[in-house]
């Protein structure tokens, strides 16, 4: 038995290799120190979020393993939206190139937004648990409500009202200034307003009840929207967007949607 255990012992003389490094164990390597990023908590809406990555793992073909790891304060990214966005964009390597590509495809993809929103609500109506959400009065809506789930249709006044908001969100995602803190603050408020708590002072003052949607269904719908946007980008003619740009644009949209997903999730799970 001792002989078998001895045979499993690690050869400590063999240097360990970072999984991000392409070098073999026998190679010697070094890395330039990467300074850790720090962001003082300021008003996010007035900030200009730098769209460049501080990450040392942005080049997956590099032969060197980084010496230093960035320090992230888990408590600070809970309380400071500015610091959270800095962490999210850095982790996903979301930069100015991504923002430029999203803005470039916006005019063409914008044409599918009405159809996409109609399809999204049709999907929500396929299941009773997602349809029931709209039986309660949503914030900002003061029109008539159906009395039964069967009476609720895609042409109901509240659904028409919700579609207006959803179209505005989709257009903003495609045309936003991602270097501005106002963009991220808006996306964060979108997250809050679906949890049953209102982020808007005037709505609290007026006693308007916010949406209360389970995170499970939020995440599923983001996944559905992602597929629709992917298809819309891939269908763009070559005259408007080359295949390489389409691939980059899909990656960029993915990053934005995952950031929006986090800005939902943080208000549900408290991380």
């Amino acid at each position: 038995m001792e002989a078998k255990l001895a045979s499993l012992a690690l050869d400590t003389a063999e240097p360990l290799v970072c999984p991000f490094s392409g070098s073999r164990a026998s190679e010697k390597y070094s890395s330039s120190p990467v300074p850790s990023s720090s962001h003082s908590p300021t008003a996010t809406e007035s900030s200009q979020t730098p769209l460049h990555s501080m990450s040392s793992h942005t080049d997956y073909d590099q032969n060197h393993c980084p010496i230093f790891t960035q320090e992230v304060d888990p408590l600070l990214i809970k309380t400071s939206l500015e610091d959270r966005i800095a962490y999210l964009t850095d982790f996903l390597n979301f930069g100015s190139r991504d923002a430029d590509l999203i803005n470039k495809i916006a005019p063409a993809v914008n044409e599918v937004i009405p159809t996409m929103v109609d399809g999204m609500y049709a999907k929500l109506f396929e299941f009773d648990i997602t349809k029931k959400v709209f039986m309660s009065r949503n914030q900002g809506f003061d029109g008539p409500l159906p009395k039964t789930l069967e009476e609720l249709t895609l042409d109901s006044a509240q659904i028409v009202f919700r579609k207006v908001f959803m179209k505005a969100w989709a257009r903003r995602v495609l045309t936003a200034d991602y270097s501005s803190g106002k963009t991220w603050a808006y996306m964060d408020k979108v997250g809050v307003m679906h949890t049953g708590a209102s982020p808007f002072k005037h709505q609290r003052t007026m006693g308007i009840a916010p949406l209360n949607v389970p995170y499970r269904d939020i995440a599923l719908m983001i996944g559905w929207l992602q597929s629709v946007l992917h298809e819309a980008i891939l269908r763009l003619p070559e005259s408007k967007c080359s295949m390489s740009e389409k691939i980059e644009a899909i990656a960029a949209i993915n990053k934005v949607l995952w950031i929006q997903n986090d800005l939902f999730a943080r208000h549900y799970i408290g991380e």
Side-chain angles (χ1 to χ4, degrees), residues 79-101:
T79 57
S80 168
L81 179 60
E82 183 178 359
D83 286 86
R84 191 179 191 91
I85 292 300
Y87 171 60
L88 295 175
T89 54
D90 197 24
F91 192 101
L92 293 172
N93 295 326
F94 181 82
S96 56
R97 172 64 177 170
D98 296 295
D100 291 343
L101 282 164

Side-chain angles (χ1 to χ4, degrees), residues 190-235:
V190 169
V192 175
M193 67 184 291
H194 286 77
T195 64
S198 177
F200 304 106
K201 183 178 179 180
H202 73 280
Q203 292 172 345
R204 295 194 298 270
T205 302
M206 297 172 64
I208 299 173
L211 284 168
N212 193 346
V213 183
Y215 173 66
R216 168 202 62 220
D217 302 326
I218 292 289
L220 285 171
M221 191 46 58
I222 289 177
W224 187 90
L225 290 170
Q226 181 174 278
S227 297
V228 174
L229 289 172
H230 284 185
E231 182 177 351
I233 293 170
L234 289 172
R235 288 182 180 275

Side-chain angles (χ1 to χ4, degrees), residues 8-265:
L8 297 176
L10 290 174
D11 182 1
T12 55
E14 191 74 14
L16 298 177
V17 180
C18 173
F20 290 94
S21 173
S23 60
R24 295 186 302 273
S26 59
E27 293 178 336
K28 292 183 179 180
Y29 47 82
S30 62
S31 175
S32 300
V34 178
S36 62
S37 61
S38 60
H39 305 274
S40 57
T42 59
T44 302
E45 293 193 6
S46 62
S47 72
Q48 292 292 317
T49 304
L51 290 182
H52 66 277
S53 177
M54 294 290 291
S55 175
S56 55
H57 282 157
T58 56
D59 183 0
Y60 299 102
D61 293 326
Q62 64 186 13
N63 292 321
H64 304 298
C65 185
I67 294 175
F68 295 107
T69 299
Q70 293 188 64
E71 294 181 358
V72 178
D73 185 335
L75 295 179
L76 186 59
I77 62 174
K78 276 187 179 182
T79 57
S80 168
L81 179 60
E82 183 178 359
D83 286 86
R84 191 179 191 91
I85 292 300
Y87 171 60
L88 295 175
T89 54
D90 197 24
F91 192 101
L92 293 172
N93 295 326
F94 181 82
S96 56
R97 172 64 177 170
D98 296 295
D100 291 343
L101 282 164
I102 292 172
N103 291 160
K104 178 178 179 179
I105 65 169
V109 176
N110 187 61
E111 297 174 2
V112 308
I113 288 178
T115 302
M116 179 183 75
V117 172
D118 287 343
M120 187 195 82
Y121 280 92
K123 173 60 68 174
L124 291 170
F125 270 47
E126 289 182 14
F127 309 93
D128 63 344
I129 58 173
T130 49
K131 186 178 180 181
K132 285 177 181 177
V133 170
F134 304 105
M135 290 298 292
S136 300
R137 186 174 300 280
N138 293 171
Q139 56 191 36
F141 177 72
D142 56 6
L145 290 175
K147 296 181 179 179
T148 66
L149 194 63
E150 291 71 27
E151 292 177 2
L152 180 65
T153 69
L154 290 170
D155 296 322
S156 294
Q158 181 160 247
I159 301 302
V160 174
F161 172 80
R162 292 302 309 162
K163 285 182 179 181
V164 172
F165 173 84
M166 187 63 202
K167 290 173 186 176
W169 172 86
R171 291 192 177 98
R172 186 153 185 173
V173 165
L174 293 172
T175 61
D177 176 6
Y178 286 103
S179 66
S180 171
K182 291 182 179 180
T183 296
W184 306 116
Y186 165 78
M187 293 173 70
D188 190 58
K189 287 179 179 178
V190 169
V192 175
M193 67 184 291
H194 286 77
T195 64
S198 177
F200 304 106
K201 183 178 179 180
H202 73 280
Q203 292 172 345
R204 295 194 298 270
T205 302
M206 297 172 64
I208 299 173
L211 284 168
N212 193 346
V213 183
Y215 173 66
R216 168 202 62 220
D217 302 326
I218 292 289
L220 285 171
M221 191 46 58
I222 289 177
W224 187 90
L225 290 170
Q226 181 174 278
S227 297
V228 174
L229 289 172
H230 284 185
E231 182 177 351
I233 293 170
L234 289 172
R235 288 182 180 275
L236 293 177
E238 287 287 322
S239 58
K240 292 185 177 181
C241 193
S242 68
M243 180 53 69
S244 61
E245 287 178 321
K246 291 177 186 178
I247 293 171
E248 287 186 276
I250 286 174
I253 284 289
N254 281 356
K255 294 173 186 180
V256 168
L257 291 178
W258 276 100
I259 291 172
Q260 177 67 87
N261 181 60
D262 177 79
L263 297 179
F264 276 108

